[in-house]
Amino acid sequence: MHEEIRGAVVAAALNIFETMFFIFLDPLESGSMTGPPVMATTDPPPESSASDSWIIKSEISFSGMPSGRLLILFPYDLGQLMTKNFLGFEDEVNEAQIFDMGSELSNMVCGNVFSLLDKKSVFSLGSPKTEKVPFEEKGKYIHPEDLVLDFSTEGNPVTIVVQLVQVQSS
């Protein structure tokens, strides 16, 4: 199941980032693509600006077979660029617009993943939540059992995490 989900996440992310945000992602090989991602380091990027010490964390829950949560983590500066591209703005964007874009991003990626996996099954998506978190805290959102996919775009890391809920049999 992990391999199917991984392939669907990669396909959905590449498509959504390119068509909606005009951003081209390069998938990074990280072994089995599980475990801590490239972005999980607690060291800030070299020569980072003040805004580089923040990341955007967008998450959405999903239920069906399987159920769980999808998280997308990316630098705040990349979020500004993505929001400008998404809205067609040349001027600065505000934080509320960045959060709205992040929520729409997780909604689009998650919805596309499950439409690629199974066109017949019904999946319910929760309301997406997006927030700005300190760079140093990003590792606390990733667990060893998670499916972690790392990407790069123009030197910026993007990490997508799929956390599946284990169904307990009676």
Side-chain angles (χ1 to χ4, degrees), residues 115-128:
S115 69
L116 290 170
L117 281 175
D118 187 348
K119 295 190 184 306
K120 294 179 183 176
S121 295
V122 175
F123 288 92
S124 297
L125 301 183
S127 296

Side-chain angles (χ1 to χ4, degrees), residues 40-57:
T41 179
T42 56
D43 298 329
E47 301 174 27
S48 61
S49 68
S51 60
D52 285 339
S53 61
W54 295 96
I55 60 170
I56 299 295
K57 177 181 76 77

Side-chain angles (χ1 to χ4, degrees), residues 22-138:
F22 311 105
I23 301 277
F24 297 92
L25 292 179
D26 292 317
L28 300 176
E29 291 298 322
S30 56
S32 65
M33 293 196 143
T34 58
V38 173
M39 241 180 95
T41 179
T42 56
D43 298 329
E47 301 174 27
S48 61
S49 68
S51 60
D52 285 339
S53 61
W54 295 96
I55 60 170
I56 299 295
K57 177 181 76 77
S58 183
E59 66 181 83
I60 188 167
S61 61
F62 53 90
S63 60
M65 280 306 274
S67 294
R69 180 169 76 148
L70 181 132
L71 293 93
I72 305 176
L73 306 163
F74 51 93
Y76 188 84
D77 287 347
L78 179 60
Q80 290 175 315
L81 173 64
M82 290 173 65
T83 303
K84 287 181 186 181
N85 290 354
F86 187 61
L87 297 175
F89 287 4
E90 291 186 21
D91 296 329
E92 292 300 312
V93 293
N94 63 45
E95 197 161 272
Q97 291 168 316
I98 295 169
F99 290 175
D100 287 346
M101 178 280 304
S103 291
E104 189 58 32
L105 170 65
S106 61
N107 188 48
M108 288 187 287
V109 170
C110 194
N112 274 268
V113 165
F114 292 107
S115 69
L116 290 170
L117 281 175
D118 187 348
K119 295 190 184 306
K120 294 179 183 176
S121 295
V122 175
F123 288 92
S124 297
L125 301 183
S127 296
K129 298 176 190 134
T130 301
E131 63 183 322
K132 179 171 81 170
V133 297
F135 185 90
E136 298 81 28
E137 291 184 14
K138 71 188 162 303

